[in-house]
Amino acid sequence: MSSRALRRLRGKQRGQEALDLGDLTLVDSPEEEEEKLDTAGVSPPSNRTGSSRKAKKDKAQKNFSNIYELICDADKEAEKISPDEDLEKPDGNKTSATGRNDNKDVERSDQKHQHEEVSIKSLSGDRAKKKKKKKKTKVTSEDGQDAARDDNIDLLLENLEQSNGLSLQNEDCGGFDRRSVLHVEHRNLNPETELKRYFGARAVLGNQRPRQRNRQFHRSTWMTSPKDSWPRFSRPGISMTLIQSKDGVQHFTFEHGRDYQQVQFKFLDAVESMDPNNIVALLQLNPYHIDSLLQLSDVCRIQEDQEMARDLIERAMYSFECAFHPLFSLTSGACRLDYLRPENRAFYLALYKHMMFLEKRGCPRTALEYCKLILSLDPDADPLCMLLLIDFLMLRSREYQSVLQLYQDWEEHRNLSQLPNFAFSTALCHFQLSQQEDVDPEESDKQRNKADQMLQEALIMFPGVLTPLLDLCTVQPDATVTSHAFFGPKSQIGQPPALAELTALYVGRTYTLWKEAAVMLWLEESVKEVLRRCDAKDPLVEDSQNKRKQRYQSAPRNIHRHVLLSEIKEATSSLPLEVTTQPVMGFDPLPPLDAVISYTRPERQHVGASNESTLSLFFRSLLPNFNLQGGQRQEDEMEVARAGQELNQEVNRLMVAMRDMLANIRFQEPPREDNPYRDEDEWD
């Protein structure tokens, strides 16, 4: 009997039976197939003729070109309960009429599976054997539903992904709670994922799909999507090495090759010339030089060319990602980069600038992932002070529970309650949770009471936040509030310098979150309660005043760096003089004082004598190799070098002023032919 006749007897059609590895065996002879059919006890049912014709018709209409369609059909059939299983009792025993036959069928099926395992092993190896054993276990198991659930491929893949995610999280040190809050997901690093959620895939992608045929080949990356308009990528000379691995944490660092170091020296010369055209010329020869891309991005942003500025930052991130070490992971949370090394700082700055572009673009969820990534690179030192920003991005993304969990986990070892942003953001999170519609009334009242308590404590600890916050929200406070000594002008003037900097930073960044009518009414009620507690001589008021006097005297360097990068006017105006008087470079703002230098820039030789004229020093500032005297005195070398540097700076300022003056000159255009006031006798 042929295989087609066997399928007709079984009421099945080719491609419709459950996909089994036993079907991969070599085709047996008709005599062996008939013998197997007899030993299995299969008899042709009388009601299968119509179904076989219908199956044959479906086969003619449907052509299976994808093997995964068969797998899906097999999964659906495996989930169904067989008639034999329907006859079983809850205790696992069958009815007396069919008990002996079913037991024989089970024994014969076991022998059949053993015979099939031998043939599968010769074709597929150990992997097919394991799967066949799993299939056998499914047949002999008492619970058919559990076995069908185990064979569900989608469920197995989902469980595998969850187990992998937990294994990656367990590699980090410092507690499971910290990892769960700062866990980074690859799919959330792409802003298109968030934009598609808001506007749909058709509005985001547009006409990109038809153009994929003619696009250039680029390496697949997580953080950025390479563009066809970018220059052809060639390794710029950046590499990443593993320094050490200790307690499950891996420390990496970027390294610059010899050719890249020479380009870096040329970049520093171009920065000292204070001419952006020199940086553009350098980028034309080295299109993936990191510091040049960062510096030129700032120039484009100042000139309000946001698209070009964002494109340059993405190109820098692509260059970094192509240089990643094979063991470096963006999502594990166990990879560290030391900010003390100049080669690593550019990666921090590129991530920060890209994060700010995403936040302004309207992608706060994607910006939050990059904020977590920056914080995970060095959570202890936090060189860019991302703790002053992460709560704002979580509030923008409506991740209220994440803010509360981070505050609970890090309060013990980081004292987050001493930062104005966390003191007010946690209270705002409790209030937003109390306003949700799907919350029980009892839980809502609990969250509201917690929010009132935390907001009152925040206002008592940081009274200087209220007045500038109301000013930016265009809200006129009551006369009782402005005339009170606790919230009056004295609260602004009497703040320590570091506290004034933190307060201005928080107010200038998050005032938009307080503009809601419900939030403003809640703030008004809390302010009245705080005034009542002040008049009642609450001991918490005096205790908070003593804490403000003892703390916040001077802010660390990473907070100053964060304020400079944020570019919030209210915060930058409160920076101390030792920060505002020194030059700040966009590619390396406020470098650490204890930096780890791997290579140094060669000093430029200043040739000349102490008795040179001013004109000679002027020409030498323009041409460093110019030497009018032809001689050099060793005892005056340092003085001449210092004088040349000062004169070089003065001449550079003069050249910039002259360039601006020439750029602003406007010549009067000659009269046109269509001028109605033109004299007819005027000479053409």
Side-chain angles (χ1 to χ4, degrees):
M1 183 178 294
S2 62
S3 59
R4 182 180 300 177
L6 284 174
R7 286 196 301 271
R8 289 180 179 178
L9 289 176
R10 296 172 183 173
K12 297 182 180 180
Q13 181 186 356
R14 178 179 295 177
Q16 296 296 330
E17 61 271 16
L19 186 61
D20 191 1
L21 292 178
D23 299 336
L24 298 177
T25 58
L26 297 177
V27 179
D28 298 332
S29 61
E31 292 78 5
E32 294 178 355
E33 293 179 356
E34 186 175 1
E35 183 180 356
K36 291 181 180 179
L37 182 62
D38 295 337
T39 56
V42 178
S43 60
S46 59
N47 56 351
R48 294 290 180 90
T49 305
S51 61
S52 62
R53 294 178 181 177
K54 186 176 180 181
K56 184 176 181 181
K57 183 178 179 181
D58 294 338
K59 176 183 177 183
Q61 294 178 356
K62 184 175 181 181
N63 184 17
F64 289 96
S65 60
N66 190 355
I67 190 174
Y68 296 103
E69 297 179 4
L70 303 180
I71 296 177
C72 295
D73 295 339
D75 293 336
K76 294 179 181 179
E77 293 183 2
E79 292 177 357
K80 297 179 181 179
I81 302 176
S82 62
D84 295 337
E85 294 175 351
D86 291 335
L87 296 176
E88 293 180 357
K89 295 183 179 180
D91 57 353
N93 299 326
K94 299 182 180 180
T95 57
S96 59
T98 59
R100 293 185 298 272
N101 294 332
D102 291 337
N103 293 331
K104 292 181 180 180
D105 292 340
V106 171
E107 294 177 357
R108 292 172 182 175
S109 62
D110 293 339
Q111 297 176 0
K112 180 180 178 181
H113 283 300
Q114 292 177 1
H115 175 71
E116 289 175 350
E117 284 177 5
V118 177
S119 59
I120 290 171
K121 182 176 180 181
S122 61
L123 293 176
S124 304
D126 296 337
R127 184 177 179 183
K129 183 177 180 181
K130 292 180 180 179
K131 189 170 182 181
K132 177 52 62 180
K133 289 182 178 179
K134 184 177 180 181
K135 187 71 177 180
K136 179 180 177 181
T137 305
K138 174 188 173 183
V139 175
T140 58
S141 62
E142 295 180 357
D143 194 353
Q145 295 180 355
D146 294 339
R149 190 181 298 109
D150 292 338
D151 285 346
N152 192 349
I153 296 178
D154 296 335
L155 185 60
L156 290 176
L157 291 177
E158 183 178 356
N159 295 334
L160 183 61
E161 291 178 357
Q162 292 178 358
S163 62
N164 289 339
L166 293 176
S167 63
L168 289 177
Q169 290 180 358
N170 290 332
E171 293 177 0
D172 192 8
C173 64
F176 175 77
D177 294 335
R178 181 188 299 186
R179 291 190 304 272
S180 62
V181 175
L182 300 181
H183 179 63
V184 179
E185 298 181 2
H186 277 132
R187 61 185 182 89
N188 289 331
L189 293 175
N190 188 2
E192 292 185 357
T193 304
E194 187 173 5
L195 293 176
K196 289 177 184 178
R197 192 184 307 121
Y198 295 152
F199 308 106
R202 185 180 298 273
V204 175
L205 295 179
N207 299 327
Q208 294 181 6
R209 293 181 179 178
R211 298 180 182 178
Q212 291 182 355
R213 291 183 177 180
N214 299 328
R215 67 178 183 178
Q216 300 178 3
F217 174 76
H218 294 284
R219 178 178 175 179
S220 178
T221 54
W222 288 108
M223 296 188 297
T224 57
S225 299
K227 300 179 181 179
D228 297 336
S229 59
W230 289 358
R232 185 176 182 85
F233 179 76
S234 60
R235 295 191 176 276
I238 300 179
S239 61
M240 177 183 281
T241 59
L242 176 62
I243 300 178
Q244 65 176 355
S245 179
K246 184 179 180 182
D247 297 333
V249 178
Q250 298 172 340
H251 296 265
F252 297 87
T253 183
F254 287 100
E255 291 184 352
H256 293 170
R258 182 170 299 179
D259 295 337
Y260 192 90
Q261 294 179 10
Q262 299 299 326
V263 178
Q264 186 73 12
F265 298 152
K266 295 179 181 179
F267 165 74
L268 296 177
D269 295 338
V271 171
E272 290 180 356
S273 67
M274 292 187 293
D275 188 1
N277 295 324
N278 295 334
I279 303 178
V280 174
L282 183 63
L283 271 178
Q284 291 177 354
L285 300 177
N286 306 276
Y288 288 93
H289 182 254
I290 303 299
D291 289 342
S292 299
L293 293 171
L294 297 179
Q295 190 71 20
L296 191 60
S297 175
D298 291 341
V299 175
C300 295
R301 184 171 48 81
I302 293 174
Q303 296 177 355
E304 298 182 356
D305 190 357
Q306 302 293 332
E307 186 68 24
M308 187 63 184
R310 184 170 64 248
D311 186 79
L312 293 173
I313 294 298
E314 292 179 357
R315 196 195 304 181
M317 294 177 59
Y318 178 75
S319 180
F320 269 124
E321 193 166 0
C322 291
F324 279 173
H325 193 273
L327 298 179
F328 184 81
S329 175
L330 296 173
T331 60
S332 65
C335 298
R336 302 288 185 265
L337 283 176
D338 193 359
Y339 194 80
L340 299 180
R341 298 179 179 269
E343 296 87 352
N344 298 336
R345 297 174 199 164
F347 184 60
Y348 279 87
L349 296 175
L351 290 176
Y352 185 90
K353 293 178 185 295
H354 184 63
M355 175 190 63
M356 297 308 296
F357 279 123
L358 290 173
E359 195 272 331
K360 294 179 181 178
R361 192 181 176 184
C363 301
R365 186 66 183 84
T366 310
L368 176 60
E369 292 298 315
Y370 281 96
C371 183
K372 294 178 182 179
L373 176 59
I374 298 173
L375 185 58
S376 65
L377 294 178
D378 195 353
D380 297 329
D382 195 7
L384 299 186
C385 208
M386 303 309 297
L387 287 177
L388 299 178
L389 177 63
I390 189 172
D391 61 306
F392 169 69
L393 295 177
M394 286 180 176
L395 286 171
R396 285 283 311 274
S397 305
R398 302 183 185 276
E399 299 285 339
Y400 305 125
Q401 293 292 347
S402 299
V403 179
L404 299 179
Q405 186 176 356
L406 179 63
Y407 178 80
Q408 180 181 0
D409 300 340
W410 289 47
E411 168 63 19
E412 183 178 356
H413 64 282
R414 297 299 290 270
N415 294 326
L416 297 184
S417 59
Q418 306 303 316
L419 298 176
N421 58 318
F422 269 96
F424 284 91
S425 295
T426 50
L428 187 58
C429 286
H430 283 291
F431 176 78
Q432 294 292 350
L433 291 175
S434 66
Q435 298 297 313
Q436 294 180 355
E437 298 179 354
D438 56 346
V439 180
D440 296 336
E442 183 178 356
E443 181 67 21
S444 178
D445 296 340
K446 181 180 178 181
Q447 294 287 348
R448 180 61 183 269
N449 295 333
K450 186 68 174 179
D452 295 341
Q453 179 183 357
M454 298 189 70
L455 182 58
Q456 293 173 15
E457 293 177 357
L459 288 172
I460 293 175
M461 185 63 190
F462 308 104
V465 175
L466 181 63
T467 302
L469 180 62
L470 295 178
D471 292 341
L472 291 178
C473 294
T474 63
V475 175
Q476 184 67 27
D478 296 339
T480 56
V481 177
T482 55
S483 60
H484 200 279
F486 190 73
F487 289 116
K490 292 183 179 180
S491 62
Q492 300 291 327
I493 301 175
Q495 287 188 124
L499 182 58
E501 187 176 347
L502 293 174
T503 299
L505 180 67
Y506 173 74
V507 172
R509 173 174 287 160
T510 61
Y511 70 94
T512 55
L513 301 176
W514 296 84
K515 282 188 174 182
E516 299 180 9
V519 176
M520 195 58 63
L521 291 176
W522 168 59
L523 178 62
E524 181 180 0
E525 296 175 359
S526 299
V527 169
K528 293 180 180 179
E529 182 65 21
V530 169
L531 292 179
R532 187 192 64 80
R533 295 175 64 178
C534 291
D535 296 338
K537 304 296 182 179
D538 194 332
L540 182 61
V541 177
E542 185 178 359
D543 185 28
S544 301
Q545 184 177 1
N546 295 331
K547 290 181 180 179
R548 288 195 301 270
K549 292 180 179 180
Q550 296 175 2
R551 306 168 183 173
Y552 312 107
Q553 294 301 321
S554 61
R557 196 172 181 85
N558 60 343
I559 293 182
H560 297 328
R561 190 181 298 117
H562 179 86
V563 171
L564 290 174
L565 291 174
S566 64
E567 296 182 354
I568 298 177
K569 297 180 180 179
E570 295 82 4
T572 54
S573 60
S574 60
L575 288 172
L577 293 178
E578 60 268 14
V579 177
T580 56
T581 53
Q582 59 178 323
V584 178
M585 298 297 177
F587 64 93
D588 191 8
L590 294 182
L593 300 178
D594 53 347
V596 179
I597 306 298
S598 58
Y599 64 94
T600 57
R601 178 187 178 190
E603 298 181 358
R604 301 174 61 180
Q605 297 181 357
H606 297 276
V607 182
S610 60
N611 57 353
E612 291 186 32
S613 61
T614 306
L615 183 62
S616 176
L617 294 175
F618 173 77
F619 280 114
R620 184 152 37 83
S621 64
L622 299 179
L623 302 174
N625 296 328
F626 177 78
N627 186 9
L628 181 62
Q629 301 293 334
Q632 182 177 2
R633 295 168 56 183
Q634 296 293 334
E635 60 273 10
D636 297 334
E637 181 179 358
M638 300 301 297
E639 289 78 3
V640 173
R642 189 179 301 107
Q645 291 179 359
E646 295 177 357
L647 184 59
N648 191 10
Q649 295 177 0
E650 296 295 334
V651 171
N652 286 333
R653 295 192 185 97
L654 179 61
M655 295 298 293
V656 171
M658 293 177 61
R659 190 181 297 111
D660 295 339
M661 182 183 67
L662 294 176
N664 294 328
I665 293 178
R666 297 291 184 270
F667 296 95
Q668 185 177 3
E669 297 181 358
R672 297 182 299 179
E673 293 294 333
D674 55 351
N675 189 1
Y677 301 102
R678 181 175 180 269
D679 191 2
E680 296 180 357
D681 298 336
E682 185 178 357
W683 176 71
D684 292 335

